[in-house]
Amino acid sequence: MIECPVCHATHVPNTLFCSECGTYLSGEERQGTDALETQQAEPGRPDQAEAGAVARCQGRLCLRLRIGESGRLVELPLERTLHLGRLDPSQDVFPEVDLTQDAGVAKGVSRRHARISRRDEAVVIEDLDSVNGTFINGKRLAPYQPERLHNGDQLRLGSLSIAVELFSANQE
Amino acid sequence: MAATIISQPFWFAGTQFGDPMTSSPLGRDSDQSERAEAFNLRLIASHTLLQVMAEEQAFYLLLSITPRRESGPARQPLNLCLVLDRSTSMQGARLQQVKEATWRLIDNLEPEDVLSLVTFSDRAEVLLPGQCDVDKAAAKARVSTLQASGGTEILQGLLAGLREIERSRLPDSVNYLALITDGHTYGDEPACLEQARQARAHQIIISPIGIGHDWNEEFLDELAALSGGTCRYVDAPHKIADAFNEAVRQLRGIIARELKITVAPTAGVRVHELFQVAPYIQRLPLVDHDTVQAWLGPLSAGQSKVLLLELRLQVTEAGQRLLADIRITGELPGQPQRQHEAKLAVSADFAAVGQSELEIPPAIVSALSRLTAYKLQEKALRDVQAGDLGAATQRLEAMATRLLSLGETELARSALLEAGQLARSGALSAEGRKKLRYGTRGLSTLLQGELQ
């Protein structure tokens, strides 16, 4: 059996959508999250400890993205996986964070570029095999290898820069 | 894309077609396709390679039945009966719009078409007995006399309407009963559903049109599904004429009738669920559970039918496996006595080690995503009926999330509004319920384009 990461209902293997809460049980998620547990938290980053604490206490962790030169702000609760990319209804691509208006095409953002999700107390970002890559603080991610995302990180999708803030909804 | 698409055109040519898995579509020459009325079957499987497992696993199939572009509909006379609700609640704009829509429909009749009119409240009256070459002026004058009064007893209207259709049917006519109502019927639902089953056996399609918000959508949907018809939701009286036109347009475009799917799973395989996902989402009532059968109604030109099957597999040995045989049968206009059929076989490879494919064809993900929104709506309704308001609210919110990811912001907003309404009042609004049901049901429109 496989378990829905959101509502914990169990389903037979290869089930694509959770019948209880509608979550997409995509292939990568179905493999479980073992890879993450081997990663060590970087020392000397108070923000990260704070974000973890917030997640533990409140359970309403939010993500704030400051996008590109315009500094457009996007705030979303991290209750489900958030996809970053360019909207393309004809290809059935509907990212939660649509970067079309941030010169996404010119800056090399793919339709399905990356996704951010919560894994227990950590927030992770995964590059979805994008053409021009996803970078955290200048370091390029290997496709489909979730990397931990911290408060204050600088993301880059292609050549589009995005500043990341993690905060608790109840405190703001 | 790891999963292959098994795509082969098939022709409804009686005994003419060969084994779909071995014969090349190009091998079928033009003289055959000219003779045969035709549509294509196309099958997309979620996986071509799976891992063997001791436990059951899911496997999805998307099957589209697409009329071939060049196959125009053969002219078939319509045997049409309008069963009109004239209960008190129809008074005013509703009845007026029904009258006007009926006048327009009468104007558009061809000489060979048969029309009968039945009205009902607590009892039924035949306003116009079934006849072809309708005297249009006289028929319209009769419609004008309609007045609203009394309750709503659908069974009465249904019985009178079915009698009229039986009386005036021709060997090749398209028999169609349109039930126009705005209210609940009390106590006679089971008898109505039994009539729908009988109608199906007599090749009569029942398509209800529900006006306003105060009717039972589950009942009318089932009535339609049992007989191969479509239930339409009309939220404002001025849309009644459009619903009539749409129904008649589809009837005139019929290129195959009595379409039926039969799925024969092999050992270790079972059909878990069967849905029509286009032209709209509908749970298909299964006629038989061993070899699964379901009626698909008529196929009209320019409109594909797309089905989604969820199979459950229990395969413990590696190698290639036949999973199921699928058969689509139907009748072509002008050949009512002859069964035509198309078959295809579904198989997959099973590996002892490694993983099942992770890359799922987008068409399957897309169809399932929409179907999931529809099913969440069904479940939320059941939660409400069971008194579990907390679960229903969560379900509606989950549904809104799914709808947002489909770009359906308007419907997502309706779902959230209903979640709020539920939290405040402990009940869904009749309007919201219908909006969500028929809205999610119609989500499949995008899908049509993707598959063609």
Side-chain angles (χ1 to χ4, degrees), chain A residues 1-2 7 11-32 79-81 83 87 89-96 112 144, chain B residues 46-47 50 53 55-60 310 312 355-360 362 364-366 368-370 372 375-376 379 395 398-399 401-402 404-407 446 450:
Chain A
M1 295 301 256
I2 56 169
C7 74
H11 303 286
V12 301
N14 294 344
T15 300
L16 289 181
F17 286 89
C18 175
S19 57
E20 296 305 304
C21 72
T23 300
Y24 181 45
L25 309 170
S26 76
E28 293 78 28
E29 277 157 17
R30 275 183 277 144
Q31 288 179 62
E79 280 161 358
R80 50 180 295 236
T81 302
H83 294 82
L87 180 80
S90 69
Q91 302 283 315
D92 204 36
V93 180
F94 298 100
E96 282 79 2
R112 300 176 206 267
Y144 298 113
Chain B
S46 57
H47 302 80
L50 294 124
M53 268 183 213
E55 59 179 325
E56 269 197 326
Q57 52 183 319
F59 180 79
Y60 302 91
E310 183 179 344
R312 291 290 166 84
Q355 274 172 342
S356 302
E357 278 166 309
L358 295 174
E359 191 79 14
I360 308 295
I364 292 215
V365 177
S366 170
L368 269 172
S369 177
R370 290 167 169 82
T372 302
K375 280 162 58 176
L376 284 172
K379 280 201 167 160
R395 207 88 77 184
M399 183 182 158
T401 310
R402 185 106 308 279
L404 278 177
S405 76
L406 288 169
L446 237 172
E450 285 170 22

